[in-house]
Amino acid sequence: MTVWQIILLASIAVFALKLAGYLVPPSFIERPTPSRVANLLTVALLSALIVVQTLGQGQQIVVDARVPAILVAAGLFALRVPFIVVVAAAAAVAAVIRLLGWMP
């Protein structure tokens, strides 16, 4: 299979899943269990994306200045600090760590 055939098949699959979502009755989605699963699944997928983007480099796990920056950001979020301050603080932590050569 060529890359374009794979992309076309993946696009059709995604479209079919999206279309199937419209066939689910609203009463099913409003029940407590499916609603809770949908909410938790969103959080789990976002967490997995953050971990992969922070620690992954190709097929390897890399611990560099991004890890302490994410930890600082998580701590500031727990304290309910405004988003722009969280981003600036995390960027500053990563920049200082790289500047001082503590991590690659």
Side-chain angles (χ1 to χ4, degrees):
M1 287 183 102
T2 67
V3 173
W4 288 109
Q5 289 172 330
I6 293 170
I7 290 173
L8 184 61
L9 286 174
S11 299
I12 291 169
V14 168
F15 181 73
L17 282 172
K18 181 79 171 176
L19 191 59
Y22 288 114
L23 301 176
V24 176
S27 61
F28 177 77
I29 300 294
E30 292 169 359
R31 285 192 246 162
T33 302
S35 176
R36 182 158 169 77
V37 168
N39 288 336
L40 292 176
L41 189 61
T42 303
V43 172
L45 288 173
L46 182 58
S47 300
L49 177 63
I50 290 170
V51 168
V52 167
Q53 291 296 315
T54 302
L55 299 176
Q57 186 173 15
Q59 295 292 331
Q60 299 177 345
I61 294 176
V62 178
V63 177
D64 59 6
R66 294 175 289 184
V67 175
I70 289 289
L71 294 174
V72 167
L76 291 175
F77 269 127
L79 296 173
R80 301 201 181 269
V81 175
F83 181 72
I84 191 70
V85 176
V86 171
V87 171
V93 166
V96 167
I97 288 173
R98 287 184 176 140
L99 180 69
L100 298 176
W102 290 344
M103 290 183 166

